[in-house]
Amino acid sequence: MNALKSIKIAALALTALAATNAAQAQEKLSLYNWGDYINPEVLTRFTEETGIEVSLDTYGSNEEMLAKIQAGASGYDIVFPSVHMHDIMSQLDLLAKTDIGSSPGFDNIDPQFVRASTDPNAEYCLPYAWGNVGIVYNKNKVDELSGWADLFELAKSGEKIILLDDPRETIGIGHILNGTSVNSTDEAEVVAAANVIKDNLENVSAFSYDSIPLVQSGDVAAAHWYVGANIFVQQNPDILEYIIPEEGATMYQEDMCVLKNAPNQANAKKFMEFYLKPEIAALNVEQQMNGTPNIPAQALIPSEIADNPSIYPPADVLSKLQIFEDLGQDLKLYNREWTAIKTAQ
Amino acid sequence: MISSKTNVDRRRIMLLGLLVPPTLFLLVFFIVPLTIMVIYSWLEPGLYGGVVWNFYDLNYGRILGWADSRYEKFDPVYLAIFFKSVRLALTTVLICLFVCYPAAFWISKMSDTKKNLFLFLVTLPFFVSLIVRLFAWVLILRPTGFLNQALMGTGLISEPLQIIFTDTAVIIGMTYVFIPFMFLPLYASIEKLDMSLLESSSDLGATRLQTFRRVILPLTLPGIIGGSIIVFIPALGNFIVPSLLGGAKVLMIGNLIEQQFLSARNWPFGSALGMIVMAAILVLLVYYVKMMTREDRLARTPSIKEVQ
Amino acid sequence: MSPILNITGATKRFHTPDGKSVTALDDVSLRVEQNEFVTLLGPSGCGKTTLLRAISGFEGLESGAIEIAGSPVTHLPAHKRPVNTVFQNYALFPHMTIAKNIAYSLDVADTPKKEISERVGKMLDIVGLAGFGDRKINQLSGGQRQRVALARSLIAQPKILLLDEPLSALDKNLRHKMQQELKSLQAEFGIAFVFVTHDQEEALTMSDRIVVLSDGKIQQHGTPEDLYRRPKTEFVARFVGESNLFEGHVVEASSQNALVQIGNGQKVSINKSGLREGVKVKLLARPEDLSVGHNADREGLKFKAKIDQLFFVGADYQILATTHDGLAIKATLRPSAQSRDPIGSPRSEIEFFIDKEALHVIAAEAVHE
Ligand SMILES: Nc1ncnc2c1ncn2[C@@H]1O[C@H](COP(=O)(O)OP(=O)(O)OP(=O)(O)O)[C@@H](O)[C@H]1O
Ligand SMILES: [Mg+2]
């Protein structure tokens, strides 16, 4: 009797819960983004304007995000894959068609940033942000640093350096120094690029994403890092400096994509359209210190960012930036060489 | 008669009722994931993660020697990483043992209130996130860090010690992380140790060393072995400490596995590596169980002489 | 011949955590002869264990000295002293077989394997555990464990065997059996046993000599008969055997005799020298010293009393009675062979007589503890 009663109450409570959930579902948006890759202010504004509550989860690499989405992580609406991952996800049929390319505000987007070969008309994703991967260094440890060769010279001289814990970025340095493409699938070229790193391995103290505090404290003289390092440079202009290496560098671009199984498709589209507004894109850049494909936004960005050649490089430097493509099966070559690098000491 | 029979039946049902939940639990949280791992390790890797349902032996081939193609090539480096991990894990176990054994003795002799305080202190680190604690170690061990400043301040060294991002840092970090795991089983067995046995041993003419070897050590052996296993297993598979304190330059088998799932998109190879680690641990556990049951048998079975 | 054990002026204080200090041994001096069975007897906390531990080397002394077989051992660590202990809880090694336990002291002394197995075999025979050598401790009964502990302590032929309440964990029958076995073992090995108990009956039956301790001090030592018949203090009188004690004082003293008047006015002349007039004394009579009825030929004390309780224990009656002037009396009476009439019944009147020869005087200065 009592048991029955409590079951009834539980059932009632459950239906009530489901009802409120349904009511609130209209008001939610769930982002799955790289760590520290969006200005929280943007999210606050969006919530103020639309009443939609935004939640944010973060990941550390494209592959991690893909693995989790594939393994069945659900509930996310929007993800921020790099261009090559955008292509992969299209092929895996993980993305929802949004027709963002035909939204009125899409005119703001510089067409050269619609890069994904699987999505030439931006029917799926919106170009979100871009940047380059260069070197951040401590000016008390080294006066002048202009490129990768300098970086390894510095390491040879006994100063410590840190490279990114990322097979493609780090082997990519080898490609750039060898003059081969960072997307090379030629086994000999990949091995040669990896050998550049192996040859300097002794002088590399770590592979890590968490190098900025160590550069700042002087424990490490220089580190391979993203353009976002400019945030820290701005805070400590006397100590830190960020450069795009003269030999060339890699660049990245992330697109904002809606997942096929997103629970809040409509809200996701709203967020994309919201982000098309120049003032919103500019607001994000102001804090992120990276590039935006939004042309009118560039006029609204504070001049110290807009005029910073390491963020918005001149055309000749820009032409030396290479962007990663999906290598398919050949990614294994890079992973193999990566393991070899890690065990070469 | 009848009533006793129904009694037996009732007991059987009760036993069944008691056994079903843990069995289900084991099935869902242990057997099922394990089966997935075993199966995946024999499947072809999907291009973008996941698996293709074709039988594929090259995952093991890469590790054990029969793979030879552009994409799947045998490389002794995987076994080398495995053995290096075993070495680091064993070193961690030994250091933990050396630190915890005397400490556990010392604490077991304290008054109850002090004892409780120290036991609480031992478990205190569990209240703070592991990542945060490891970052604190980065701050301590780096060249301008606390340790080097203290040592240079006292004039013991003139140049900062290069500890961070080395094997040493990884061992320090793992020792730090796993000390409570070693301490608790050790403490449990030392606390149980009857101090009058030590007096009795010395009364019978044994020196301190003899008492330690012949009485203390064998009686605390279950704690030593238990603690060692509890430390060894997670230390062998650890990937957080080597990536934070080893600067990802110190590669352990756990990092390699993590890499297969989170960046190399090669789940089957990751599963195969995982199976190799499991196999090693299984061998260790079987050996342990065998040893323990042998001890037990020695203690229980009457010898032939007595039966006469 | 020098004593096997000679303790002089042993003093030991413990400091408790709350800052107090307990004197566990207070100027204890004791000699034990070769082949002697000495029992330390006393109430809980009187320092028996402490004294044993001082002998075995587990407890250091504040002052005093200990010699074993003529050589000083006061500063020798436990493992170097030629004494072995049978612990109260036996302290057998649970991870070793019985043979290994017994062989322990030979093992740590690097005795050749062959000799060890011979001696262990012999020892197992002696304690009646032949064939049990391969068992583990948890497969033995309490009495068997006791024997293993004995065998283990005796195998290295110590000069002295110390036993701390070794029988207290055993049930009564087993206890009696083990008492006899201990005695015969001692005879067989011909070494001194120092035995601790707080059971006075056990002490009386087993010992060559008993040492009564109280508050860390030796109250008296002597043969069981000495202690029973001639206790020096009320404490000893009460602790060893049952006793009736009558308070009194000396009214007349001569060189050989003393006339003592007890509380109810009766006077009795005691054959004892050295008592001064006016001294307070206590007269001790053991329950079996009491008889029924008045014997006109003999001088002594008589009491009219009422029986409170009466127990028939086979040969004897044990009687608890109260005299008309309020003294409690314990008596053990054996009916004569001729008359099988009951001695009395509860609430019936009875008249006790104590022969003056049976009375023992405990002098005043020793009366209060
Ligand atoms: N380690 C110690 N610390 C403090 N006090 C102690 C210690 N050991 C013994 N004592 C004290 O010394 C006194 C004598 O103790 P001991 O153990 O010798 O008594 P015992 O005669 O053996 O008593 P029992 O018959 O109960 O075993 C007691 O008052 C006891 O509380
Ligand atoms: Mg005692």
Side-chain angles (χ1 to χ4, degrees), chain C residues 47-67:
Chain C
K48 306 180 295 285
T49 298
T50 308
L51 183 54
L52 273 203
R53 291 170 59 83
I55 299 169
S56 56
F58 295 122
E59 219 72 83
L61 296 176
E62 252 96 89
S63 59
I66 300 176
E67 274 177 21

Side-chain angles (χ1 to χ4, degrees), chain A residues 182-205:
Chain A
V182 299
N183 294 308
S184 170
T185 54
D186 181 304
E187 193 166 355
E189 283 182 9
V190 177
V191 171
N195 281 342
V196 171
I197 306 300
K198 270 190 216 167
D199 292 344
N200 287 289
L201 194 64
E202 220 180 302
N203 311 310
V204 174
S205 46

Side-chain angles (χ1 to χ4, degrees), chain A residues 105-145:
Chain A
F106 199 81
D107 304 343
N108 295 340
I109 301 297
D110 184 343
Q112 67 160 323
F113 287 96
V114 182
R115 290 181 198 265
S117 52
T118 53
D119 189 13
N121 300 318
E123 287 167 290
Y124 290 84
C125 305
L126 168 68
Y128 170 66
W130 64 278
N132 56 75
V133 185
I135 303 169
V136 57
Y137 64 92
N138 186 313
K139 287 196 274 189
N140 300 330
K141 288 270 163 183
V142 52
D143 297 332
E144 182 82 69
L145 196 75

Side-chain angles (χ1 to χ4, degrees), chain C residues 44-45 47-50 88 164-165 196 198:
Chain C
S44 188
K48 306 180 295 285
T49 298
T50 308
Q88 182 166 3
D164 192 353
E165 305 197 29
V196 163
H198 52 224

Side-chain angles (χ1 to χ4, degrees), chain C residues 201-254:
Chain C
E201 218 179 290
E202 192 167 278
L204 289 173
T205 51
M206 300 183 71
S207 321
D208 296 326
R209 201 148 54 90
I210 297 175
V211 178
V212 179
L213 282 170
S214 154
D215 285 337
K217 279 197 273 282
I218 293 186
Q219 296 292 317
Q220 186 175 0
H221 60 91
T223 61
E225 293 84 354
D226 258 351
L227 288 171
Y228 191 76
R229 286 288 155 216
R230 289 173 290 282
K232 283 190 188 143
T233 64
E234 180 180 350
F235 175 80
V236 177
R238 286 189 187 280
F239 202 76
V240 180
E242 300 283 331
S243 54
N244 295 295
L245 284 163
F246 306 105
E247 275 181 54
H249 63 279
V250 179
V251 289
E252 237 179 86
S254 70

Side-chain angles (χ1 to χ4, degrees), chain A:
Chain A
M1 193 47 196
N2 259 332
L4 220 96
K5 203 168 164 188
S6 58
I7 288 173
K8 259 192 202 159
I9 291 171
L12 264 173
L14 270 181
T15 33
L17 206 69
T20 48
N21 259 350
Q24 279 173 3
Q26 308 299 112
E27 311 299 336
K28 277 193 171 164
L29 179 68
S30 171
L31 305 187
Y32 192 31
N33 197 352
W34 300 71
D36 295 323
Y37 202 45
I38 192 160
N39 185 352
E41 184 65 20
V42 171
L43 306 183
T44 318
R45 287 262 191 104
F46 179 68
T47 305
E48 276 169 12
E49 207 157 293
T50 61
I52 295 169
E53 201 183 307
V54 184
S55 63
L56 177 66
D57 259 358
T58 63
Y59 53 85
S61 71
N62 281 307
E63 281 74 15
E64 181 187 344
M65 180 267 290
L66 177 65
K68 288 192 178 155
I69 299 292
Q70 274 182 306
S74 59
Y76 296 127
D77 298 307
I78 295 182
V79 292
F80 296 77
S82 299
V83 173
H84 74 274
M85 185 53 63
H86 172 173
D87 281 331
I88 293 171
M89 294 180 84
S90 299
Q91 277 165 34
L92 294 173
D93 199 19
L94 294 170
L95 302 179
K97 198 156 182 287
T98 57
D99 289 320
I100 189 69
S102 15
S103 288
F106 199 81
D107 304 343
N108 295 340
I109 301 297
D110 184 343
Q112 67 160 323
F113 287 96
V114 182
R115 290 181 198 265
S117 52
T118 53
D119 189 13
N121 300 318
E123 287 167 290
Y124 290 84
C125 305
L126 168 68
Y128 170 66
W130 64 278
N132 56 75
V133 185
I135 303 169
V136 57
Y137 64 92
N138 186 313
K139 287 196 274 189
N140 300 330
K141 288 270 163 183
V142 52
D143 297 332
E144 182 82 69
L145 196 75
S146 52
W148 300 113
D150 280 4
L151 180 70
F152 288 131
E153 272 314 307
L154 178 69
K156 273 206 187 86
S157 77
E159 291 292 351
K160 299 193 174 321
I161 64 165
I162 291 182
L163 303 183
L164 285 173
D165 189 14
D166 180 309
R168 292 204 58 190
E169 288 289 1
T170 297
I171 295 175
I173 298 174
H175 276 309
I176 290 168
L177 282 171
N178 287 347
T180 44
S181 160
V182 299
N183 294 308
S184 170
T185 54
D186 181 304
E187 193 166 355
E189 283 182 9
V190 177
V191 171
N195 281 342
V196 171
I197 306 300
K198 270 190 216 167
D199 292 344
N200 287 289
L201 194 64
E202 220 180 302
N203 311 310
V204 174
S205 46
F207 296 99
S208 170
Y209 297 99
D210 307 306
S211 46
I212 298 279
L214 296 174
V215 176
Q216 201 168 319
S217 66
D219 289 307
V220 168
H224 178 198
W225 225 70
Y226 305 94
V227 67
N230 275 304
I231 300 173
F232 304 97
V233 173
Q234 197 188 36
Q235 286 162 6
N236 301 281
D238 299 336
I239 301 175
L240 296 177
E241 183 70 274
Y242 176 83
I243 58 147
I244 299 175
E246 60 188 0
E247 297 94 337
T250 61
M251 67 168 285
Y252 58 85
Q253 178 189 318
E254 274 76 42
D255 295 342
M256 188 190 289
C257 302
V258 178
L259 288 169
K260 190 150 210 174
N261 60 2
N264 308 298
Q265 305 260 356
N267 290 350
K269 176 86 184 280
K270 267 190 212 163
F271 186 77
M272 276 182 158
E273 283 173 340
F274 177 72
Y275 197 76
L276 278 173
K277 296 184 189 174
E279 68 272 21
I280 297 303
L283 179 67
N284 201 32
V285 168
E286 215 174 287
Q287 187 251 2
Q288 291 283 316
M289 299 212 151
N290 55 10
T292 174
N294 193 312
I295 299 165
Q298 284 167 21
L300 305 174
I301 295 168
S303 63
E304 69 262 29
I305 297 176
D307 300 342
N308 185 332
S310 76
I311 302 175
Y312 288 98
D316 59 323
V317 176
L318 200 57
S319 68
K320 285 200 222 162
L321 299 183
Q322 301 183 56
I323 193 160
F324 288 123
E325 289 159 11
D326 174 40
L327 303 180
Q329 198 60 303
D330 288 303
L331 180 66
K332 283 184 179 155
L333 294 179
Y334 283 83
N335 282 315
R336 199 183 72 200
E337 287 310 310
W338 186 234
T339 308
I341 288 172
K342 293 278 191 92
T343 49
Q345 34 206 322

Side-chain angles (χ1 to χ4, degrees), chain C residues 72 122 155 165 171 252 257 261 285 289 301 312 339 357:
Chain C
K122 219 184 273 169
I155 196 164
E165 305 197 29
D171 67 58
E252 237 179 86
N257 288 295
Q261 182 174 37
D289 297 333
L301 296 173
F312 177 62
S339 102
E357 297 299 330

